[in-house]
Amino acid sequence: MSEEMKHCGFVAVIGAPNAGKSTLVNQIIGTKVSIVSPKVQTTRFRIRGIAMAGQTQIVFVDTPGIFEPKKRLERAMVSAAWMGAQDADLVCLVVDAIRGRDEQTRAIIERLKTSRRECFLVLNKVDLIQRERLLALAAELNERGVFAQTFMISALNGDGVSDLEKALAARMPEGEWMFPDDEVSDLPQRLLAAEITREKLFHNLHQELPYALSVITESWEEKPDGSARIELTIYVSRDSQKGIVLGQGGKRLKAIGQQARRELEELLDRKVHLFLFVKVHDRLWEDSTQFSEWGLDFDV
Ligand code: GDP
Ligand code: MG
C-alpha cells in the first residue's frame, strides 16, 4: 500500500493592476484573503493564501502588480513582484481580456520570456467579452511562445477556475507541505481579519498613508459562546501617522473598527469582538514580522 506523494509549490500571480489577481486567488482559496478593491495598488503582501488540492499544497504569491514605478515605494513593490515571479514554481499572468493587449501586458510578456519560468496565461473577465474577440486575443498573446497553457476564466463568477486550479496542482513539484494542515485552515481567518481591517483603513484614509501601514492579527480567541475575540495591531511608520489613523478623540479608528467588525461578522457568520491597536514601527517596509507570523522564512 503506497501513500500518495505530497506536492507543494509557489504560484506567482502577476499582471497589471485591476486585472483580477486578488479576485482569482480569493476564488480559489474560497475566502476573502486579499483585498479586492476598485482602487489600484492595494495589494502589498506577498503571500495571499494556500490551496489544498488532494495531497498538493499550492502557495499563492499575490503581487502588488507590475506597472511603471514612479516613486521609491512603488519601485520596491514592483521589484518584490518580479522577485516573487522569480522564486515561484509557476507564474500566472492574469490579463483583463477587455483591456486586452496593451503596452503594459506586452512589456510583462517580454520580461517573462527572459525569466524562463513556466508560465500560464490567464485571460480573465470572460463574462464581459465575446468569444471571437477572446480567441483572437489568446492567439495574439501567444505569439511570443511564452505560455505553456492558456486559460479563459471569470475570476468573479468562477467560470474556468477549477480547471486552472487542477492544472496548477498538476505542476507543483514533489515535496513536503510548507504549512501544516491545521495552520492552513487557521491562516485564512487570521489573514481575513487583518486584510478586512486594511481595506477599511484604505477607505477611511484618503492619503498616501495606507502604503505605510501594516496590519497584523495578534490574537484570535474562541469564546465559549461561539464568538471570536480578535486583536489586531495597525503598524504605522511615524508618530504623526498614528494621529491620522486615530482621528480626533479616536473617532476614525472607532469607525474603522466598527466597519471591519460588521463585515467580519457577516463573513464568519458569528459575533466578533474586535480590538484595534495602533503602534509606531519604523523600517516597516523591510520588516519580516508579517511573514514570520505565518511561519514562513522569507530571507531566501
Ligand atoms: P487586482 O488588482 O489584479 O488584484 O484586481 P482585483 O482582483 O482587485 O479586481 C479588480 C476589479 O475587477 C474588481 O472590481 C473586480 O471585481 C473586477 N473583476 C475581477 N475579476 C472579474 C471577472 O472575472 N469579471 C468581471 N466582470 N469583473 C472582474
Ligand atoms: Mg489585488
Side-chain angles (χ1 to χ4, degrees):
M1 219 168 62
S2 71
E3 216 182 289
E4 200 189 330
M5 283 299 296
K6 283 182 179 171
H7 289 71
C8 184
F10 281 106
V11 173
V13 183
I14 68 168
N18 278 323
K21 302 178 292 297
S22 301
T23 310
L24 171 61
V25 173
N26 292 339
Q27 183 69 245
I28 294 177
I29 306 293
T31 166
K32 191 175 172 188
V33 183
S34 301
I35 296 180
V36 181
S37 163
K39 287 193 210 160
V40 297
Q41 295 316 320
T42 55
T43 306
R44 206 189 89 190
F45 301 132
R46 288 169 61 191
I47 290 279
R48 300 312 334 177
I50 299 131
M52 297 297 304
Q55 290 293 95
T56 300
Q57 189 169 74
I58 310 171
V59 181
F60 286 95
V61 189
D62 192 14
T63 66
I66 291 166
F67 60 111
E68 277 303 308
K70 290 180 198 75
K71 292 188 223 108
R72 237 184 91 175
L73 183 56
E74 287 179 351
R75 279 206 299 277
M77 289 165 78
V78 172
S79 99
W82 279 114
M83 249 145 62
Q86 228 87 58
D87 295 343
D89 297 291
L90 198 140
V91 176
C92 273
L93 173 62
V94 181
V95 174
D96 181 336
I98 296 298
R99 280 186 60 197
R101 189 184 189 178
D102 52 20
E103 270 309 313
Q104 228 166 17
T105 304
R106 200 195 309 256
I108 291 172
I109 291 175
E110 287 310 317
R111 188 146 177 189
L112 282 175
K113 200 173 166 69
T114 61
S115 85
R116 285 195 254 122
R117 284 279 141 203
E118 175 153 42
C119 303
F120 283 179
L121 175 63
V122 179
L123 296 175
N124 188 32
K125 311 195 186 182
V126 301
D127 53 301
L128 300 175
I129 191 174
Q130 285 174 334
R131 187 142 187 92
E132 301 83 72
R133 278 189 56 202
L134 188 63
L135 294 176
L137 178 65
E140 216 181 311
L141 295 178
N142 272 296
E143 271 166 13
R144 304 289 286 146
V146 169
F147 304 107
Q149 285 184 58
T150 299
F151 297 84
M152 299 172 190
I153 67 157
S154 170
L156 199 61
N157 67 25
D159 275 354
V161 173
S162 69
D163 283 347
L164 172 61
E165 191 183 350
K166 273 184 213 127
L168 292 174
R171 302 292 179 123
M172 295 297 100
E174 237 171 61
E176 266 306 314
W177 296 339
M178 274 171 267
F179 294 86
D181 244 352
D182 51 341
E183 264 181 45
V184 174
S185 54
D186 186 42
L187 181 81
Q189 288 205 345
R190 293 176 74 103
L191 280 178
L192 179 77
E195 290 294 340
I196 294 224
T197 304
R198 261 174 73 75
E199 190 177 63
K200 300 311 169 201
L201 282 160
F202 278 117
H203 292 150
N204 284 274
L205 302 169
H206 309 286
Q207 302 94 342
E208 279 281 282
L209 189 56
Y211 295 124
L213 292 173
S214 174
V215 183
I216 289 169
T217 304
E218 303 283 1
S219 72
W220 184 297
E221 201 185 323
E222 299 289 338
K223 291 284 181 191
D225 65 359
S227 66
R229 185 187 195 280
I230 310 165
E231 285 188 6
L232 294 145
T233 303
I234 300 161
Y235 286 100
V236 294
S237 47
R238 278 195 301 275
D239 251 329
S240 58
Q241 298 173 338
K242 190 172 168 178
I244 295 172
V245 173
L246 285 167
Q248 225 173 23
K251 259 192 203 153
R252 183 178 269 148
L253 187 66
K254 194 172 174 198
I256 290 166
Q258 279 170 351
Q259 290 164 23
R261 177 180 51 77
R262 255 182 248 127
E263 185 161 345
L264 272 169
E265 285 184 333
E266 203 171 296
L267 284 162
L268 299 171
D269 200 21
R270 61 200 288 203
K271 196 161 169 53
V272 167
H273 308 278
L274 193 67
F275 297 87
L276 299 182
F277 303 93
V278 187
K279 287 185 190 162
V280 180
H281 192 318
D282 37 297
R283 302 188 67 230
L284 195 60
W285 180 247
E286 298 110 283
D287 194 22
S288 59
T289 319
Q290 192 77 34
F291 298 131
S292 57
E293 192 206 347
W294 302 340
L296 282 178
D297 181 11
F298 265 85
D299 285 333
V300 283

